[in-house]
Amino acid sequence: MRDFREFRSKFEGLLAAARKRAALAGGAPARRPTRLRELTGFGVNPGNLRMFAYAPKDLPPMAPLVIVLHGCTQTAVEYDHGTGWSSLADSLGFAVVYPQQQPANNPKNCFSWFLLDDIARGHGEARSIREMVEHAIATFAADRRKVFVTGLSAGGAMASVMLATYPEVFAGGAIIAGLPYGCASNVQQAFEAMFTEQEHAAQALGDRVRAASRHRGPWPIISVWHGANDPIVRPSNGEEIIRQWTNVHGISEGPSYLEYIENHTRRVWSDANGEALIEAFSISGMMHGVPLATTTGERCGSTGAFFLDAGISSTHHIARFFRLHESLVEMPRAAAPVSTTIQIPTDGGALVIVGAAAKGVHSLAETWLAEDEKRQTHYPIDPNAVIAAAFKAAGLPVPEFPTALPGTPPSVAPGPIIAAALKAAGLVGS
């Protein structure tokens, strides 16, 4: 009980401190009109949740559907203002559903991702959200093959619940500052999972998902986001989510490639065909919240408590990962943050990261980022050619790579790279 009281006090203090910081930074948020409307009579509701939704005026039939789950102390309206999902729905042509917790269920408005009666298939809050999905598909004539779920914190953990208990319903999910499925079955265990380092075997984590339903694949694609300095939900939970879903997908725990977007890290796990199954973002310097870009790049949402300007729009990135831009309404593509490194797949599936400090490399990086999907589906490439182009664009001595033998799979030759780097640094003669 003493540990429980300490955890609870810490949790409530961190929530209050985050809201106080947001208020001091921007003042009290102005009351804004909401774009959401409440839908009632959506089916059985054993979890006692409310349903809010938004759909563009001229939503085409068979459009995608995104289920968005708010965090503790938040409401559907607040989360929509912060993340900008309904605004993006206007651009891309999809419907959004916001399940909302009620204080009668949880005084902090947290979804009950840690209570067995609410996280089992066919029961509690998980069943209520499933009913909302079916009601929204019928109401908006949505494509049931393109249903996705995302959420923050307790909402992220609840997204884990939905992906595990109804994997046949969701094509993909995005978990922001959340926790893996099955890591807690009561409030005490929930606090322990949030505040202490947890490390479970990948097989055990995957078994929790497999035991949650009779489904045996195909499995949803997963996007994981976590602030590197998160004090409320330890970043190790993001790693647990990754291990859980790499095991479920039956792929290596090591990523297929890695890249830096600004100073943030993105890892990707791909299948044998190069299709991304899992991605994970570690947001440098960020605390607990949703990463936003409100001043540069792809602007979306608005800052506030747990909505943090990190120079990267998680809403836009998640939408692209879900391929929502492939819906009938064309997505206006704003300038995305440019990677300051170039990603190069090697024959071993790892990645060589080449620094790109000179301005000339940025245009090359933009080209490569724009061709991301092509890179994923057109392996192998010659990494040495990419490295040589990067050195040339930066105005550096170009490595002299040996000619590859016909039929030999592409691989990185480190010797010429080291020689060129030493030459550029003036440590060896020309």
Side-chain angles (χ1 to χ4, degrees), residues 178-352:
L179 299 98
Y181 175 71
C183 64
S185 58
N186 56 53
V187 179
Q188 175 71 16
Q189 291 178 4
F191 283 141
E192 290 174 353
M194 290 164 58
F195 292 130
T196 66
E197 293 292 333
Q198 304 277 312
E199 185 169 354
H200 301 90
Q203 183 69 34
L205 290 165
D207 285 346
R208 294 172 181 172
V209 173
R210 285 183 286 269
S213 76
R214 296 181 180 178
H215 186 71
R216 289 298 175 263
W219 300 96
I221 60 174
I222 307 294
S223 181
V224 182
W225 295 71
H226 223 108
N229 295 349
D230 191 332
I232 296 179
V233 179
R234 281 185 175 268
S236 57
N237 284 286
E239 299 305 309
E240 293 269 282
I241 296 169
I242 294 166
R243 281 198 297 276
Q244 184 165 70
W245 284 98
T246 53
N247 184 265
V248 170
H249 277 286
I251 56 180
S252 170
E253 288 189 38
S256 304
Y257 65 84
L258 176 150
E259 66 176 331
Y260 293 123
I261 301 178
E262 298 297 336
N263 58 338
H264 311 306
T265 303
R266 177 181 183 247
R267 290 170 289 165
V268 177
W269 288 257
S270 302
D271 62 14
N273 298 319
E275 294 291 335
L277 300 177
I278 301 170
E279 67 170 4
F281 280 82
S282 177
I283 307 302
S284 176
M286 197 182 83
M287 299 183 73
H288 189 71
V290 177
L292 303 177
T294 60
T295 58
T296 60
E298 294 174 317
R299 303 181 186 183
C300 195
S302 57
T303 56
F306 312 113
F307 303 108
L308 308 176
D309 196 332
I312 182 170
S313 171
S314 57
T315 304
H316 276 93
H317 276 270
I318 291 168
R320 276 200 295 275
F321 186 70
F322 291 165
R323 297 183 179 273
L324 298 181
H325 61 290
E326 296 178 359
S327 61
L328 295 179
V329 178
E330 184 65 22
M331 176 181 181
R333 297 296 295 271
V338 177
S339 173
T340 56
T341 58
I342 297 174
Q343 53 181 31
I344 306 162
T346 68
D347 58 335
L351 230 226
V352 175

Side-chain angles (χ1 to χ4, degrees), residues 396-422:
L396 301 174
V398 178
E400 298 179 0
F401 293 107
T403 303
L405 297 175
T408 303
S411 62
V412 174
I417 299 172
I418 296 171
L422 292 172

Side-chain angles (χ1 to χ4, degrees), residues 125-195:
E125 293 178 14
R127 174 66 183 277
S128 294
I129 296 171
R130 174 65 182 94
E131 293 285 323
M132 293 181 198
V133 172
E134 198 62 32
H135 185 70
I137 290 174
T139 301
F140 302 118
D143 188 343
R144 65 175 58 252
R145 299 167 302 174
K146 297 179 181 179
V147 180
F148 305 90
V149 62
T150 181
L152 165 71
S153 193
M158 200 66 196
S160 287
V161 170
M162 299 309 298
L163 292 163
T165 55
Y166 295 99
E168 79 283 6
V169 172
F170 298 99
I175 303 164
I176 305 174
L179 299 98
Y181 175 71
C183 64
S185 58
N186 56 53
V187 179
Q188 175 71 16
Q189 291 178 4
F191 283 141
E192 290 174 353
M194 290 164 58
F195 292 130

Side-chain angles (χ1 to χ4, degrees), residues 6 56 65 106 109 143 197 199 260 310 353 356 397 404:
E6 290 178 354
L65 173 66
N106 185 289
N109 245 32
D143 188 343
E197 293 292 333
E199 185 169 354
Y260 293 123
I353 302 297

